[in-house]
Amino acid sequence: MGKILVADDEDDVRLSLERRLTREGHSVSSAGSQAAAIACINESDTAFDVVLTDMLMESPSSGVEVLKATLARDVFTEVVVLTAYGNVANAVECMKMGAFDYVEKNIPGVDVYELICIKIEQALDRRRSSLSTVRKLEQFARFQEKREDDKAKSTPE
Amino acid sequence: MADEISSASQSAPQSGVAHGTLTNVSLPGTAFHPNEFDVELSQTSLAEADELLKSTLDEAMRDAGGNRAFLALIDTLDGELALRFTAGEGWTDGIRRLRVNMHAEQGADDAGRWDALSDTPIMPRPSGTRQGITRHVVANGRRYWTGDVSADPYYIGFFTDVKSEIAVPITARGGGTIGVLNIESPEANAFNEEHANALSILARRIAVIVAMAEHQLREEALIAIGKDLNAAADIDVLMQHVVEQATKILRADDCSLFLLDEDEATLELRASHGPLGDQTGQGAARYALGEGLTGWVAQHGEAIRVGDPRTDGRWKGVFMEAPAGEIASVMAVPVRSHRGISGVLRVVRHRKGSLYFMPQEFQQADEDVLVTLAGQLAVAVDRTRLLQRLLNSERMAAWGEMSARSAHMIGNAVFGVKGHLNELTHWFNEVRNAECGVRNDPHSALRTPHSDDARLLLESITRGIYRLEGILGEFRDFVLATQLHATPHDVNQILRTVTAESFPRHSNIDLVLNLAPGLCPVMADEAKLKRAFSELIENSVDFQPQGGMLTIRTTRAESETVRELARGQIHGAALQIEFIDHGPGLSEQDRQRVFTPFYTRKAKGMGLGLSIVKGIIEAHGGAIREIGDAQTVLSSAAPNGRTAGAHFVVLLPLHEEAKPAHGDAGN
């Protein structure tokens, strides 16, 4: 359904997310650090649809760096940021910079994996709608171009 | 004549009571022998005083025209008159050794008042003690001469050729008699009032010289204490030291220090020289602010000197250094720190049975000394409290960071475990669906669920739970590192046990134990110390994955090492334990930060390991440093070609006097 990158330095977390999202039918890649995630984003053949990244890896603002790299590669790739306790401020910063949403890992009584799956579906929807809007704009632009051309041809010298 | 004196003073040291030099005997009018101090006092001022006293005695004999003279001064330690200097012929060590007992007759009511017996007939005394003109002059403080000793009621002779004798008292500035200047002559009626007047002037000079020497000694002792105060880190040791020294310097019989509590309403006994010393610590002696003389001083911030404390209206006698009737005088001064009064330092003198002037009432000069001591003490107390606050705030900051970090780590670990549990739930659903013949989710289960999947998930969950426990354990160790239950332990034995338990059985790291035999026991919490040592061992093993060497050795620390690595932390002997490896070692930057909480070079854990080690060692009153350069220090032990790795040095204070097994040092 979607091409997704999971970036988290906790082996257990990365493994669980990878498994779950695969089960949901996505094509999942994973990275265990900020550097690995950025390399993955830059080197993949096609851009990821969604990047799911932990906020705190090598540095407390790893999520921000991954977000920047993602948007530099494809401005329509959606980024979902994961935070453990105490990183909400950074997550809000990511939202301002264009992340799709942030999810706290520990919400009492909530199946956060389910929540993540929902967020990713929503992110994919937005990317699809963004892409379709872009496509429409491109079509419109082409259409306009063609009209200009036609007008130019039909106008006598 | 001069030859005679100098040879007398040279032969003196081997005699029981040394004569002819102030440096070997207690100063008249002071209770301290220079060699009783832990510190080295410069001897120049004393030698100078000796010189002056000798020449004054020579001058006195010459002026009076006698053939023999002596200067006797009172030894405040035992209240006896001792011959300090002699001049003239015929003196033997035997005579010089004679002491004049100045104590009152048993049963004398007015014991302690030198003038009580002023004109009482002197009775013959047992052999070994002397009385006579000298004793008479000291006892009534008036000069005395006789032209015919054979007819004199007081005279008892040292020599047979004596006809005339003259003796003048040496009077201290405070008014008491501290000694006698005595001249003898073989001529009858050799002395008159004129001689007495001349000798009185010389006696005054002697009193000034003695006072000067005493003053210099006090000053040097105070400076020495000041240095101690700056060096000592343990406030309790330091306070005890001050009360001991104050007792000596002030010729007091006891000294106690009370400090104001945090609530500033009660004074708690923190150190005492004598029997009150037992009442420090838990359930310590306490005064309410304003209660008794001590409480009054703390409340009003003024020093007091009280002659007979029982007659003072403020006196309560709640905690006394001796039964109230035995206390002759009390002096107390406030300990003034920059925040205000922080305590009271007080000294007492007991009633003395001696007839001569024994210092009982404290003088202004004594008060000045005590105020100086209290001032130095206040600086030390302030500094310690500041340090304590700093340590506390550091610890609070560490706690704050600790909470945030552990929340994050625990949160992540729980999230991981939840993921595995979700997967396990999904696995069960699939198994049930398969059993019911329902077609499984086409995306995930293209094959039938296998029990291996479940086993792997369970293993992951178990691992996650263990990790959580590890985080909690680290948290707990950090919190508990400073709470010890210490008993005497052989550190070598602890090291042997720890290496047997913690050092990996199959390892490509060579373990070298180099334990010095015959080391004194250390007051230690065995479990905590094991935790610290095993952390250091694990640390070393983790950083030598390709193999290497770990040397653990114990020695008695050189005092220079203690000074250099544990300045202000350890006083006295220390045990040195070293962990030397050949791993990558530490950079200068790492060396600074390696013991701070949450600083880690390893991927796993919270980075508390070495900060816990430091906490444990410091709770033992010890110190830990990373000094690097294992190569140079271990030059004999390190095989050639090994690289310099980490070199941790642990210093633990040695308890050389056998301590009771139930000690609880460090609490």
Side-chain angles (χ1 to χ4, degrees):
Chain A
M1 289 186 30
K3 182 179 175 183
I4 295 172
L5 173 67
V6 174
D8 198 308
D9 57 351
E10 295 284 326
D11 293 346
D12 284 327
V13 172
R14 199 172 60 246
L15 185 66
S16 296
L17 287 171
E18 199 179 343
R19 210 165 38 201
R20 176 65 191 264
L21 294 173
T22 306
R23 192 145 56 74
E24 294 291 327
H26 303 296
S27 148
V28 184
S29 307
S30 71
S33 69
Q34 173 194 320
I38 291 172
C40 216
I41 289 161
N42 291 332
E43 288 159 16
S44 72
D45 305 336
T46 55
F48 288 101
D49 294 321
V50 178
V51 171
L52 180 63
T53 178
D54 193 16
M55 187 69 227
L56 191 150
M57 289 185 282
E58 287 100 311
S59 82
S61 58
S62 286
V64 178
E65 297 307 317
V66 172
L67 172 69
K68 284 184 192 162
T70 307
L71 298 182
R73 169 76 202 262
D74 180 346
V75 80
F76 293 114
T77 298
E78 297 295 348
V79 176
V80 176
V81 178
L82 291 174
T83 65
Y85 282 114
N87 286 97
V88 175
N90 272 338
V92 170
E93 182 66 21
C94 287
M95 294 298 292
K96 286 183 188 157
M97 290 173 67
F100 177 75
D101 207 347
Y102 72 87
V103 178
E104 281 190 67
K105 282 178 179 171
N106 307 97
I107 307 172
V110 173
D111 183 347
V112 176
Y113 286 88
E114 196 60 43
L115 183 63
I116 288 170
C117 289
I118 293 167
K119 293 283 180 198
I120 285 188
E121 288 304 329
Q122 291 172 343
L124 283 170
D125 281 348
R126 190 165 93 168
R127 174 168 167 85
R128 269 193 291 271
S129 99
S130 303
L131 288 177
S132 102
T133 306
V134 168
R135 234 167 271 136
K136 276 178 193 158
L137 278 172
E138 280 172 354
Q139 272 172 7
F140 181 71
R142 270 201 297 276
F143 174 74
Q144 285 286 58
E145 221 171 274
K146 197 173 173 242
R147 234 175 40 172
E148 297 281 325
D149 284 356
D150 290 350
K151 213 184 275 178
K153 278 177 198 161
S154 63
T155 309
E157 297 281 327
Chain B
M1 205 62 76
D3 289 349
E4 171 71 18
I5 291 159
S6 66
S7 71
S9 68
Q10 274 162 15
S11 64
Q14 63 260 36
S15 61
V17 176
H19 293 279
T21 167
L22 275 174
T23 52
N24 289 332
V25 299
S26 63
L27 258 183
T30 80
F32 55 89
H33 297 259
N35 57 8
E36 276 178 14
F37 285 89
D38 309 336
V39 293
E40 255 179 58
L41 295 175
S42 101
Q43 303 289 327
T44 46
S45 55
L46 293 173
E48 198 176 56
D50 280 354
E51 205 65 39
L52 283 168
L53 290 176
K54 268 185 230 163
S55 63
T56 306
L57 183 64
D58 289 343
E59 196 180 326
M61 187 173 77
R62 215 168 40 237
D63 288 0
N67 69 333
R68 223 176 267 120
F70 69 85
L71 172 61
L73 293 170
I74 277 158
D75 183 339
T76 51
L77 283 184
D78 55 15
E80 289 183 344
L81 264 181
L83 269 60
R84 296 295 188 216
F85 298 95
T86 57
E89 296 147 14
W91 294 102
T92 64
D93 281 350
I95 296 172
R96 290 196 191 95
R97 240 187 311 248
L98 289 174
R99 311 266 290 182
V100 181
N101 187 330
M102 291 305 299
H103 290 269
E105 299 290 343
Q106 290 212 329
D109 284 346
D110 220 350
R113 299 292 176 92
W114 59 266
D115 58 350
L117 287 190
S118 47
D119 281 309
T120 310
I122 310 278
M123 306 303 290
R125 312 196 119 230
S127 64
T129 62
R130 283 268 168 176
Q131 54 192 321
I133 289 172
T134 304
R135 186 177 197 267
H136 174 71
V137 167
V138 174
N140 73 10
R142 266 174 266 153
R143 57 204 198 183
Y144 185 90
W145 64 91
T146 176
D148 179 8
V149 294
S150 60
D152 191 86
Y154 302 113
Y155 181 78
I156 291 176
F158 292 151
F159 300 98
T160 49
D161 62 344
V162 181
K163 291 271 165 44
S164 298
E165 180 162 331
I166 182 166
V168 295
I170 295 159
T171 310
R173 258 184 302 186
T177 305
I178 57 167
V180 177
L181 178 60
N182 191 311
I183 318 275
E184 296 176 352
S185 169
E187 321 264 321
N189 300 316
F191 303 116
N192 55 33
E193 180 139 23
E194 209 174 297
H195 291 122
N197 289 341
L199 288 181
S200 291
I201 291 168
L202 291 177
R204 264 208 296 286
R205 191 204 287 179
I206 288 170
V208 169
I209 295 167
V210 166
M212 186 189 74
E214 180 185 350
H215 185 78
Q216 269 169 333
L217 263 187
R218 275 192 180 197
E219 189 179 291
E220 286 177 28
L222 282 176
I223 290 168
I225 285 184
K227 283 183 189 158
D228 282 1
L229 286 170
N230 283 327
D234 184 332
I235 189 72
D236 288 312
V237 171
L238 185 144
M239 292 189 297
Q240 190 61 33
H241 187 68
V242 169
V243 298
E244 302 293 351
Q245 295 297 347
T247 309
K248 279 183 193 167
I249 297 176
L250 290 170
R251 293 168 276 157
D253 294 292
D254 211 336
C255 177
S256 303
L257 172 67
F258 291 83
L259 285 187
L260 211 52
D261 275 356
E262 294 287 313
D263 61 5
E264 310 217 322
T266 39
L267 286 159
E268 186 187 319
L269 180 67
R270 297 298 297 271
S272 188
H273 166 72
L276 267 189
D278 296 339
Q279 294 191 43
T280 55
Q282 282 213 325
R286 282 169 199 277
Y287 280 105
L289 195 63
E291 183 189 11
L293 288 171
T294 307
W296 188 90
V297 169
Q299 193 172 36
H300 292 81
E302 289 170 31
I304 50 165
R305 280 183 273 138
V306 177
D308 184 353
R310 282 180 300 179
T311 61
D312 192 292
R314 295 164 295 191
W315 189 72
K316 278 269 180 66
V318 190
F319 302 107
M320 292 314 287
E321 286 82 350
E326 288 177 25
I327 291 178
S329 56
V330 177
M331 171 165 71
V333 300
V335 176
R336 229 181 264 278
S337 68
H338 73 276
R339 287 187 310 156
I341 307 295
S342 63
V344 175
L345 186 61
R346 76 177 188 198
V347 287
V348 300
R349 281 178 184 154
H350 295 171
R351 288 181 187 283
K352 300 276 164 37
S354 176
L355 292 179
Y356 83 97
F357 168 76
M358 266 296 230
Q360 288 191 343
E361 303 251 332
F362 289 100
Q363 309 296 317
Q364 182 62 45
D366 296 326
E367 185 180 315
D368 294 345
V369 169
L370 201 62
V371 166
T372 307
L373 279 175
Q376 289 175 323
L377 199 57
V379 171
V381 168
D382 269 354
R383 201 189 48 191
T384 310
R385 289 196 171 154
L386 197 70
L387 204 67
Q388 202 57 50
R389 264 207 298 284
L390 202 70
L391 281 178
N392 282 343
S393 65
E394 250 175 35
R395 213 160 166 77
M396 285 310 289
W399 272 79
E401 193 172 353
M402 175 104 181
S403 309
R405 288 213 190 212
S406 45
H408 183 260
M409 294 191 79
I410 291 170
N412 259 327
V414 168
F415 185 63
V417 170
K418 265 186 167 175
H420 296 312
L421 281 172
N422 273 353
E423 200 62 27
L424 198 61
T425 310
H426 174 74
W427 182 87
F428 268 112
N429 287 336
E430 288 198 337
V431 170
R432 198 185 53 221
N433 289 348
E435 282 167 1
C436 300
V438 179
R439 197 171 166 273
N440 274 314
D441 187 336
H443 297 295
S444 62
L446 298 171
R447 56 185 180 86
T448 44
H450 198 276
S451 68
D452 274 356
D453 298 337
R455 190 177 49 77
L456 287 173
L457 285 171
L458 281 173
E459 280 172 9
S460 299
I461 291 167
T462 311
R463 221 176 27 243
I465 300 283
Y466 283 169
R467 235 189 96 210
L468 279 167
E469 280 181 338
I471 293 169
L472 290 175
E474 233 180 298
F475 198 107
R476 183 199 53 212
D477 286 347
F478 181 78
V479 173
L480 296 181
T482 53
Q483 299 173 11
L484 296 189
H485 179 72
T487 48
H489 278 287
D490 175 5
V491 167
N492 285 349
Q493 192 49 49
I494 292 181
L495 281 168
R496 280 187 208 102
T497 317
V498 168
T499 46
E501 288 170 0
S502 303
F503 196 77
R505 225 167 284 273
H506 304 290
S507 166
N508 49 1
I509 297 170
D510 298 326
L511 176 68
V512 180
L513 283 183
N514 193 346
L515 309 177
L519 292 169
C520 295
V522 162
M523 290 300 287
D525 184 317
E526 188 180 8
K528 293 266 161 48
L529 215 50
K530 274 178 162 176
R531 170 78 173 80
F533 291 159
S534 68
E535 181 74 34
L536 288 169
I537 292 169
E538 276 165 30
N539 200 53
S540 167
V541 170
D542 286 352
F543 279 100
Q544 300 183 95
Q546 311 302 320
M549 184 162 120
L550 170 63
T551 307
I552 302 175
R553 59 173 192 177
T554 56
T555 45
R556 197 190 146 89
E558 302 282 333
S559 55
E560 200 177 313
T561 311
V562 176
R563 257 202 309 283
E564 207 171 296
L565 300 182
R567 175 174 284 281
Q569 284 171 284
I570 299 176
H571 306 277
L575 176 66
Q576 181 173 342
I577 308 144
E578 287 162 280
F579 296 80
I580 307 149
D581 67 36
H582 297 280
L586 283 88
S587 70
E588 191 54 44
Q589 195 193 6
D590 284 338
R591 191 162 297 140
Q592 304 293 330
R593 298 169 56 195
V594 72
F595 294 111
T596 53
F598 311 112
Y599 177 73
T600 180
R601 296 174 297 154
K602 291 190 265 184
K604 295 284 167 203
M606 294 176 73
L608 288 177
L610 287 175
S611 75
I612 291 171
V613 172
K614 183 168 185 258
I616 292 173
I617 299 300
E618 287 182 352
H620 280 85
I624 179 166
R625 297 279 184 278
E626 203 288 324
I627 58 171
D629 291 327
Q631 203 78 26
T632 51
V633 181
L634 246 200
S635 50
S636 57
N640 290 334
R642 299 274 203 193
T643 53
H647 184 168
F648 288 93
V649 179
V650 175
L651 294 170
L652 292 174
L654 275 176
H655 289 252
E656 296 187 288
E657 312 114 49
K659 289 263 174 167
H662 55 76
D664 56 352
N667 271 341

